[in-house]
Short mmCIF file of all heavy atoms in Angstrom, two decimals:
data_model
loop_
_atom_site.label_atom_id
_atom_site.label_comp_id
_atom_site.label_asym_id
_atom_site.label_seq_id
_atom_site.Cartn_x
_atom_site.Cartn_y
_atom_site.Cartn_z
N ASP S 73 64.95 86.02 130.26
CA ASP S 73 64.90 84.55 130.29
C ASP S 73 64.69 84.19 131.76
O ASP S 73 65.64 84.18 132.55
CB ASP S 73 66.19 83.96 129.74
CG ASP S 73 66.16 82.45 129.68
OD1 ASP S 73 65.39 81.82 130.44
OD2 ASP S 73 66.91 81.87 128.87
N ASN S 74 63.46 83.91 132.13
CA ASN S 74 63.15 83.65 133.54
C ASN S 74 63.84 82.39 134.04
O ASN S 74 64.19 82.30 135.21
CB ASN S 74 61.64 83.56 133.73
CG ASN S 74 60.97 84.90 133.58
OD1 ASN S 74 61.59 85.94 133.76
ND2 ASN S 74 59.69 84.88 133.22
N ALA S 75 64.05 81.43 133.17
CA ALA S 75 64.70 80.19 133.59
C ALA S 75 66.14 80.46 134.00
O ALA S 75 66.69 79.78 134.88
CB ALA S 75 64.65 79.17 132.45
N LYS S 76 66.77 81.45 133.37
CA LYS S 76 68.14 81.80 133.69
C LYS S 76 68.22 83.01 134.62
O LYS S 76 69.31 83.46 134.97
CB LYS S 76 68.93 82.09 132.41
CG LYS S 76 69.08 80.88 131.50
CD LYS S 76 69.91 81.23 130.27
CE LYS S 76 70.10 80.02 129.38
NZ LYS S 76 70.91 80.33 128.18
N ASN S 77 67.06 83.55 134.98
CA ASN S 77 67.02 84.77 135.82
C ASN S 77 67.89 85.86 135.23
O ASN S 77 68.65 86.54 135.93
CB ASN S 77 67.46 84.45 137.25
CG ASN S 77 66.45 84.94 138.28
OD1 ASN S 77 65.24 84.97 138.02
ND2 ASN S 77 66.93 85.32 139.44
N THR S 78 67.76 86.04 133.93
CA THR S 78 68.63 86.95 133.19
C THR S 78 67.80 87.86 132.31
O THR S 78 66.80 87.43 131.71
CB THR S 78 69.63 86.16 132.34
OG1 THR S 78 70.44 85.33 133.19
CG2 THR S 78 70.54 87.10 131.56
N VAL S 79 68.20 89.11 132.22
CA VAL S 79 67.57 90.06 131.31
C VAL S 79 68.66 90.54 130.34
O VAL S 79 69.83 90.66 130.72
CB VAL S 79 66.92 91.23 132.07
CG1 VAL S 79 67.94 92.06 132.80
CG2 VAL S 79 66.11 92.09 131.13
N TYR S 80 68.25 90.78 129.11
CA TYR S 80 69.18 91.16 128.06
C TYR S 80 68.79 92.51 127.44
O TYR S 80 67.63 92.91 127.49
CB TYR S 80 69.18 90.10 126.94
CG TYR S 80 69.47 88.71 127.41
CD1 TYR S 80 68.44 87.82 127.73
CD2 TYR S 80 70.78 88.27 127.55
CE1 TYR S 80 68.70 86.54 128.15
CE2 TYR S 80 71.06 86.98 127.98
CZ TYR S 80 70.02 86.12 128.28
OH TYR S 80 70.29 84.85 128.72
N LEU S 81 69.77 93.15 126.87
CA LEU S 81 69.51 94.35 126.07
C LEU S 81 70.28 94.20 124.77
O LEU S 81 71.51 94.29 124.76
CB LEU S 81 69.93 95.62 126.81
CG LEU S 81 69.56 96.92 126.09
CD1 LEU S 81 68.03 97.11 126.11
CD2 LEU S 81 70.24 98.12 126.73
N GLN S 82 69.55 93.94 123.70
CA GLN S 82 70.17 93.86 122.38
C GLN S 82 70.21 95.27 121.81
O GLN S 82 69.18 95.92 121.68
CB GLN S 82 69.34 92.95 121.46
CG GLN S 82 69.80 92.93 120.01
CD GLN S 82 71.14 92.28 119.83
OE1 GLN S 82 71.43 91.25 120.43
NE2 GLN S 82 72.00 92.88 119.01
N MET S 83 71.40 95.72 121.47
CA MET S 83 71.59 97.09 120.99
C MET S 83 72.13 97.05 119.56
O MET S 83 73.22 96.53 119.33
CB MET S 83 72.56 97.84 121.90
CG MET S 83 72.14 97.85 123.36
SD MET S 83 73.21 98.88 124.39
CE MET S 83 74.75 97.99 124.28
N ASN S 84 71.33 97.56 118.63
CA ASN S 84 71.72 97.60 117.22
C ASN S 84 71.87 99.04 116.76
O ASN S 84 71.39 99.97 117.41
CB ASN S 84 70.67 96.89 116.37
CG ASN S 84 70.51 95.43 116.71
OD1 ASN S 84 71.48 94.76 117.08
ND2 ASN S 84 69.29 94.92 116.59
N SER S 85 72.52 99.20 115.63
CA SER S 85 72.70 100.54 115.03
C SER S 85 73.21 101.54 116.06
O SER S 85 72.67 102.64 116.20
CB SER S 85 71.37 101.02 114.43
OG SER S 85 70.90 100.11 113.46
N LEU S 86 74.23 101.14 116.76
CA LEU S 86 74.74 101.98 117.85
C LEU S 86 75.31 103.29 117.33
O LEU S 86 75.88 103.36 116.23
CB LEU S 86 75.80 101.21 118.64
CG LEU S 86 75.21 100.17 119.60
CD1 LEU S 86 76.25 99.14 119.99
CD2 LEU S 86 74.62 100.85 120.83
N LYS S 87 75.11 104.32 118.13
CA LYS S 87 75.57 105.66 117.81
C LYS S 87 76.55 106.13 118.87
O LYS S 87 76.55 105.62 120.01
CB LYS S 87 74.39 106.63 117.76
CG LYS S 87 73.26 106.22 116.82
CD LYS S 87 72.09 107.17 116.95
CE LYS S 87 70.94 106.76 116.04
NZ LYS S 87 69.78 107.68 116.18
N SER S 88 77.34 107.12 118.55
CA SER S 88 78.31 107.63 119.52
C SER S 88 77.61 108.14 120.78
O SER S 88 78.15 108.03 121.88
CB SER S 88 79.16 108.74 118.90
OG SER S 88 78.35 109.78 118.41
N GLU S 89 76.40 108.65 120.61
CA GLU S 89 75.67 109.16 121.78
C GLU S 89 75.14 108.06 122.68
O GLU S 89 74.59 108.33 123.74
CB GLU S 89 74.53 110.09 121.36
CG GLU S 89 73.60 109.51 120.32
CD GLU S 89 73.96 109.98 118.92
OE1 GLU S 89 75.16 109.99 118.57
OE2 GLU S 89 73.02 110.33 118.16
N ASP S 90 75.29 106.80 122.28
CA ASP S 90 74.93 105.68 123.15
C ASP S 90 76.06 105.34 124.12
O ASP S 90 75.89 104.49 125.01
CB ASP S 90 74.61 104.43 122.33
CG ASP S 90 73.36 104.60 121.47
OD1 ASP S 90 72.38 105.18 121.97
OD2 ASP S 90 73.38 104.16 120.30
N THR S 91 77.21 105.98 123.95
CA THR S 91 78.33 105.73 124.86
C THR S 91 77.96 106.11 126.29
O THR S 91 77.53 107.23 126.55
CB THR S 91 79.56 106.53 124.41
OG1 THR S 91 79.99 106.06 123.13
CG2 THR S 91 80.69 106.39 125.41
N ALA S 92 78.11 105.15 127.18
CA ALA S 92 77.73 105.37 128.59
C ALA S 92 78.06 104.11 129.39
O ALA S 92 78.37 103.06 128.82
CB ALA S 92 76.23 105.67 128.70
N VAL S 93 77.96 104.25 130.70
CA VAL S 93 77.94 103.07 131.56
C VAL S 93 76.49 102.62 131.65
O VAL S 93 75.60 103.43 131.95
CB VAL S 93 78.49 103.38 132.96
CG1 VAL S 93 78.37 102.15 133.85
CG2 VAL S 93 79.93 103.84 132.87
N TYR S 94 76.26 101.36 131.36
CA TYR S 94 74.93 100.79 131.38
C TYR S 94 74.73 99.97 132.66
O TYR S 94 75.55 99.12 133.00
CB TYR S 94 74.70 99.92 130.15
CG TYR S 94 74.44 100.74 128.90
CD1 TYR S 94 75.47 101.46 128.30
CD2 TYR S 94 73.17 100.83 128.35
CE1 TYR S 94 75.24 102.23 127.17
CE2 TYR S 94 72.92 101.60 127.22
CZ TYR S 94 73.97 102.30 126.64
OH TYR S 94 73.73 103.08 125.52
N TYR S 95 73.64 100.27 133.34
CA TYR S 95 73.32 99.60 134.59
C TYR S 95 72.03 98.80 134.45
O TYR S 95 71.09 99.22 133.78
CB TYR S 95 73.11 100.63 135.70
CG TYR S 95 74.31 101.49 136.01
CD1 TYR S 95 74.51 102.69 135.33
CD2 TYR S 95 75.22 101.12 136.99
CE1 TYR S 95 75.60 103.50 135.62
CE2 TYR S 95 76.32 101.92 137.29
CZ TYR S 95 76.50 103.10 136.60
OH TYR S 95 77.58 103.89 136.88
N CYS S 96 72.01 97.70 135.16
CA CYS S 96 70.80 96.90 135.31
C CYS S 96 70.22 97.24 136.69
O CYS S 96 70.98 97.38 137.66
CB CYS S 96 71.18 95.43 135.22
SG CYS S 96 69.85 94.28 135.46
N ALA S 97 68.91 97.39 136.78
CA ALA S 97 68.28 97.72 138.05
C ALA S 97 66.94 97.02 138.15
O ALA S 97 66.30 96.73 137.14
CB ALA S 97 68.12 99.23 138.20
#
Side-chain angles (χ1 to χ4, degrees):
D73 183 336
N74 289 336
K76 295 182 178 180
N77 232 32
T78 300
V79 65
Y80 305 94
L81 186 69
Q82 173 68 42
M83 305 186 294
N84 298 326
S85 302
L86 283 161
K87 305 175 182 179
S88 57
E89 51 263 44
D90 294 319
T91 295
V93 177
Y94 283 72
Y95 299 89
C96 177

